[in-house]
Amino acid sequence: MCYFSSDSPKTKGYGRYTANEVPVELCSDVIYRGLGFPEWTRGSYQFNSEELQRLGSYLYTMKGRSSNVRNIVTVLERGQEALSYSIMSEVPERRGAFTRAILRLLDQYGLDGVEIAWEWPGTMVKFGGISSDRESLISLLTDLRSALRSRNKELFFFGAVYPKVLRESYRVTSICQIVDYVTLFTFDMRPHTNNVADVHAPMRNRSFETDPNRAKTNVVDGVDTWIDFGCPPKKMILGIGLFGQAFTLANPAQYNVGAPAVGPGEEGQYYYGGYYPYYEVETSKNPSPTCQHVKNLSDFQLCLLIRSGWTLFYDSVGQMPFAVRGNQWMGFEETNSIAAKLDLVQEKRLGGVVLQYVDYDDFWGFCGSRNPLTTFIYQRLRQIPSDIGFAIEWS
């Protein structure tokens, strides 16, 4: 599954990405992420007309390019401390109006399903929520499931792997009984506000992580917790972030994983401070000939602007690479780190993977073939035996 960012057509320069660039031969499903939460107006919910216009244009192109790719849409809450999902889901009449708005959306645009991205229910995190969210979430998903089943549409839930959220915000068994798939937030798990230089999707926690809020916040423990709490592995879709996350080091002499940081790294050409799409990561790193810490250096696909003084290292426990240049520190995904995550998909018999975002891959082919990471993932998934209960079937 491939996320398509609704903002990518507005990205400047070479970062601009449209439905024409989506590798429809590699993605079984493309999730348009997404539409903002609809506005409550006179007893009904209405999606923003300009956003709908962009969605319609995108889908027109996608359906013209492929009749096999399934098209999903995400409904997002934009901004911190958003309460739209909470306010809607606790009132039966509003849940009904929201459900009707989703049905109209799917029917009008011929979509195959919807992803509910409620970040995060409950009151224990800083992004809002109210105490009744844990039960209201189940009521909302139940109403949506009942309505979507009559249309043969699928229901996705975007789920966190933070232990506190899993314990206090979700009824995991109920969620997984209701929805078709849970798309796991197993990327971007180390925010800049922690002021610790770290890779954004470590496979396991490292010895320096003593903060209880970071305990078991990693890919392996996140997947295991969902399974232990009662979610069938075949319903779980592992999220893989095709981007780099940069930090500014407090002291350039301290640059190992876990080093003190003072905030995001310098802003790149295409996205906001501290985040770099893969095509920009791979064109800005310089493998030092004296560095002995990198595993399979040839697989990093570094090219073009690589003569910029970066030195590469590898976090052997987190199983992700990172690069350092002066006071700038960046962790990112590449084929070695992705391979470790795909091994987990096979080991746990998960339903598949979802890429955040497909437009972050090297879609221009700056460094050789186009979409190298997406292609690598596609080929690796095809090698997984089909007799172990995987949800994705390749034709």
Side-chain angles (χ1 to χ4, degrees):
M1 297 181 178
C2 301
Y3 280 128
F4 173 94
S5 171
S6 58
D7 291 329
S8 59
K10 298 180 287 186
T11 306
K12 59 186 178 182
Y14 287 108
R16 185 174 185 272
Y17 191 97
T18 70
N20 288 305
E21 282 71 58
V22 175
V24 293
E25 72 281 5
L26 302 177
C27 303
S28 61
D29 303 63
V30 180
I31 305 177
Y32 183 90
R33 188 177 172 91
L35 292 180
F37 199 90
E39 183 179 354
W40 177 255
T41 305
R42 296 179 181 178
S44 66
Y45 279 105
Q46 302 293 331
F47 287 98
N48 180 276
S49 58
E50 292 184 4
E51 290 190 356
L52 289 178
Q53 186 175 7
R54 290 194 292 269
L55 171 66
S57 176
Y58 158 86
L59 288 171
Y60 179 83
T61 300
M62 285 294 295
K63 292 179 179 181
R65 295 186 60 213
S66 174
S67 59
N68 296 320
V69 171
R70 298 178 344 121
N71 291 289
I72 317 296
V73 66
T74 301
V75 178
L76 299 159
E77 280 190 296
R78 302 190 189 277
Q80 294 186 1
E81 300 180 1
L83 291 170
S84 300
Y85 266 114
S86 296
I87 294 170
M88 173 272 295
S89 63
E90 72 169 349
V91 181
E93 291 77 14
R94 290 204 174 198
R95 286 202 309 271
F98 181 81
T99 299
R100 289 190 292 275
I102 295 296
L103 288 179
R104 288 196 303 271
L105 177 71
L106 301 188
D107 289 344
Q108 180 178 352
Y109 292 96
L111 291 156
D112 297 289
V114 62
E115 180 189 50
I116 299 301
W118 184 349
E119 309 171 27
W120 309 105
T123 59
M124 75 294 302
V125 289
K126 64 182 180 180
F127 299 109
I130 59 179
S131 59
S132 61
D133 283 348
R134 191 168 188 259
E135 299 304 320
S136 297
L137 170 60
I138 300 303
S139 298
L140 171 62
L141 294 178
T142 299
D143 289 355
L144 287 169
R145 174 73 282 163
S146 177
L148 294 176
R149 185 176 288 117
S150 65
R151 303 289 212 283
N152 197 28
K153 308 290 187 181
E154 291 194 333
L155 178 61
F156 296 72
F157 178 71
F158 184 59
V161 295
Y162 300 110
K164 191 173 181 64
V165 175
L166 274 163
R167 289 193 309 268
E168 301 180 23
S169 294
Y170 300 158
R171 287 171 49 195
V172 169
T173 301
S174 297
I175 290 171
C176 292
Q177 287 174 342
I178 297 168
V179 304
D180 293 289
Y181 295 105
V182 175
T183 43
L184 292 177
F185 187 18
T186 42
F187 49 86
D188 200 10
M189 294 185 285
R190 298 293 187 267
H192 294 110
T193 52
N194 288 346
N195 289 326
V196 175
D198 198 0
V199 294
H200 69 80
M203 290 294 288
R204 296 169 180 82
N205 283 64
R206 281 62 47 86
S207 59
F208 68 85
E209 298 183 282
T210 58
D211 186 331
N213 290 326
R214 291 170 72 112
K216 293 190 175 183
T217 302
N218 60 68
V219 175
V220 173
D221 284 321
V223 168
D224 283 344
T225 302
W226 272 90
I227 294 173
D228 291 344
F229 283 12
C231 193
K234 67 180 180 180
K235 286 195 172 187
M236 296 163 56
I237 309 298
L238 190 75
I240 298 178
L242 306 185
F243 58 84
Q245 183 182 19
F247 296 83
T248 297
L249 295 170
N251 180 358
Q254 298 181 29
Y255 55 81
N256 287 329
V257 175
V262 294
E266 296 173 355
E267 187 168 338
Q269 297 183 55
Y270 303 103
Y271 290 95
Y272 48 90
Y275 288 94
Y276 292 74
Y278 178 70
Y279 59 79
E280 188 173 5
V281 170
E282 65 174 0
T283 59
S284 62
K285 303 290 164 287
N286 179 30
S288 168
T290 63
C291 177
Q292 301 299 318
H293 303 278
V294 176
K295 187 170 68 173
N296 298 332
L297 191 60
S298 62
D299 287 345
F300 279 84
Q301 294 193 297
L302 312 173
C303 65
L304 294 182
L305 302 181
I306 61 176
R307 299 173 181 85
S308 54
W310 291 84
T311 302
L312 292 170
F313 301 89
Y314 198 82
D315 174 8
S316 60
V317 179
Q319 294 183 264
M320 285 184 68
F322 63 96
V324 180
R325 183 181 64 182
N327 69 347
Q328 295 298 294
W329 194 104
M330 182 186 296
F332 58 100
E333 295 276 18
E334 42 67 65
T335 54
N336 289 304
S337 60
I338 290 173
K341 292 174 172 65
L342 296 179
D343 288 344
L344 182 69
V345 169
Q346 181 167 2
E347 176 190 347
K348 300 295 183 180
R349 301 186 178 187
L350 304 185
V353 301
V354 59
L355 309 186
Q356 170 89 342
Y357 289 95
V358 68
D359 34 298
Y360 286 176
D361 203 352
D362 182 14
F363 63 95
W364 283 104
F366 285 142
C367 298
S369 60
R370 295 190 175 201
N371 301 300
L373 296 186
T374 308
T375 300
F376 174 80
I377 292 167
Y378 170 81
Q379 292 174 344
R380 176 69 178 83
L381 286 176
R382 292 197 62 169
Q383 296 171 5
I384 295 175
S386 60
D387 60 347
I388 59 175
F390 276 78
I392 294 179
E393 296 178 359
W394 300 98
S395 60

